[in-house]
Amino acid sequence: MREAHPSERAVGIDHYVSDGDGTGGKFRTRPADFRVRELETGEFEPLDADPDAYPHLVFRVTLENWDTNDFASALSDKLGMSRERIDWAGTKDKRAVSTQLFSVRAGSDVLDDIDLHGATIDPIGRAGRGLRFGDLAGNAFEIVVREADTESVAPITKSLQAFAGNEDENAGDANGESGTTVGVPNYFGQQRFGSYRPVTHEVGLAVVRGDWREAVLAYVGRPHESEPDATREARAFVDREAAAAGTADWAAALDRYPRQLGFERSMLHRLVENGGESSDDFRAALETVPSNLQRLFVNAAQSSLFNRILSARLDRGLPFDRAVAGDVVCFADSEAPDGLALPDPDRSQRVGENRVETVNRHTARGRAFVTAPLVGTETELANGEPGDIERAILDEEGIDPSMFDLPGEFHSTGTRRAILLTTELSIEDDPLTFAFRLPKGSYATVLLREYLMSDPVELG
């Protein structure tokens, strides 16, 4: 296996499946080169339904070059309400054309006069509750890579066919023109941790360890080479103040911080108010950011541990497409859209030595999936060699499941996640274009990285 880029290894992604050269190419040269559409679940009441019984307006939005959080903030400003009142099912990348669902507790005409450049808003119905993160089956993608070396496509596709569990590496169309099933490790992509400055997992790991000061400093300090000079200088000042003896000058740090870094400035502002000396002071600073970002910190910590577990499994040569004794598998969601393999982590089973063959008949048919933990308070680790891997990674990080018993939005009970990501992939040349569907929570860039083998910053 080929070694991953250093920035990927920093978040637990150690390998590529294929040994060959990648296609390279230019990615996201324009937003329309990355199109993503949510695969929706369920139906909603009509727009004229009783607003007392169905108080939430659900609307479909097509965004061009909008970050999901930024759009929610801009919309809430237009509506004159808190951003916390706007909900969505999944976060999308900025440099893209994305179609996704939002909801807001408001009347059906509240969006009639809203005009935001690059956003097309279409109210579609009403619901008894707001959307929750994960209220979708998955996403459909169409992604263009320009100036790519397409000679590498066929050998990479053959490697990914084999990784998906095809016994015959020549099965299907190696060029992917007519569609072929491929598989990759179900890593959390670089975006989970910050595409240009991957630190959210470091913040989350500090939170889990109860080191609130370190969590704040990881977010507001630690300059990254990809950032503008003014931002690097502001972060470096925070690092110097934190390292100096005595009380840091948080007011001076705030004065140096660029205005556009609102989350960092809100943390520093709170430290100016409370003095920034005790652990409670730093926790209060971290809690100034929106609740979804607070959850993201801990989720990113869980994700980095998950990635490391997958990389260790690859190192040991254990299969991803089938179970071994000690594994925990989950079963397919029976309500998933046709043709979409959607694991249901709430329906899981431990695999004893005497059950391996039976379980693997289900994995071969796409009815069961080998899993690894997103560690939380209710996590029960696997047995056998898979369990040894999980325990070794947690021990290296000094993490125990009980440590996720945290206050407020930081608390997490944990779950499990499939370790293999499979999809029916279609590929076209000139320009190189990939079309595929993924279950919710999986990353398009995790598949694309296997083809491009580019610096993850270029994948965004």
Side-chain angles (χ1 to χ4, degrees), residues 132-149:
R132 295 170 183 161
F133 198 78
D135 276 351
L136 71 163
N139 295 283
F141 297 90
E142 185 175 303
I143 299 171
V144 177
V145 181
R146 301 185 184 276
E147 301 180 24
D149 177 7

Side-chain angles (χ1 to χ4, degrees), residues 124 229 306 413:
I124 61 172
D229 290 346
F306 178 90
T413 57

Side-chain angles (χ1 to χ4, degrees), residues 249-324:
D249 190 344
W250 301 118
L254 180 60
D255 287 343
R256 285 167 169 77
Y257 242 89
R259 293 286 176 182
Q260 67 269 25
L261 298 178
F263 294 150
E264 287 93 336
R265 287 181 60 85
S266 66
M267 291 185 191
L268 290 170
H269 186 76
R270 184 57 53 86
L271 293 176
V272 171
E273 290 180 337
N274 63 27
E277 296 183 359
S278 70
S279 179
D280 285 346
D281 292 342
F282 285 96
R283 174 184 157 189
L286 205 62
E287 290 177 334
T288 61
V289 303
S291 57
N292 67 316
L293 183 54
Q294 295 177 40
R295 291 190 294 271
L296 177 62
F297 290 144
V298 173
N299 293 160
Q302 294 166 317
S303 302
S304 68
L305 296 171
F306 178 90
N307 282 356
R308 291 191 59 193
I309 289 168
L310 266 58
S311 291
R313 187 175 179 114
L314 279 171
D315 280 333
R316 293 209 191 187
L318 295 183
F320 278 54
D321 62 297
R322 59 191 184 277
V324 300

Side-chain angles (χ1 to χ4, degrees), residues 128-266:
R129 64 166 176 82
L131 290 172
R132 295 170 183 161
F133 198 78
D135 276 351
L136 71 163
N139 295 283
F141 297 90
E142 185 175 303
I143 299 171
V144 177
V145 181
R146 301 185 184 276
E147 301 180 24
D149 177 7
T150 57
E151 293 294 322
S152 303
V153 169
I156 292 173
T157 301
K158 286 184 179 180
S159 295
L160 302 188
Q161 287 172 334
F163 194 78
N166 295 343
E167 293 183 6
D168 179 3
E169 290 193 19
N170 295 314
D173 180 2
N175 289 311
E177 294 178 1
S178 61
T180 185
T181 300
V182 298
V184 297
N186 195 20
Y187 285 128
F188 285 92
Q190 199 81 10
Q191 312 99 294
R192 182 71 155 185
F193 312 99
S195 296
Y196 296 97
R197 182 174 171 262
V199 298
T200 55
H201 62 299
E202 296 176 3
V203 178
L205 288 169
V207 168
V208 173
R209 297 185 186 110
D211 192 342
W212 299 97
R213 183 178 190 274
E214 173 63 18
V216 171
L217 295 179
Y219 196 73
V220 301
R222 299 185 186 175
H224 192 273
E225 61 184 7
S226 67
E227 296 179 300
D229 290 346
T231 300
R232 292 202 308 272
E233 291 168 6
R235 295 193 192 282
F237 181 86
V238 169
D239 287 346
R240 290 194 298 271
E241 285 294 303
T247 302
D249 190 344
W250 301 118
L254 180 60
D255 287 343
R256 285 167 169 77
Y257 242 89
R259 293 286 176 182
Q260 67 269 25
L261 298 178
F263 294 150
E264 287 93 336
R265 287 181 60 85
S266 66

Side-chain angles (χ1 to χ4, degrees), residues 324-326 349-361:
V324 300
Q349 180 182 105
R350 290 181 177 273
V351 184
E353 192 76 54
N354 62 339
R355 293 281 298 167
V356 172
E357 185 176 345
T358 300
V359 166
N360 283 340
R361 285 198 290 269

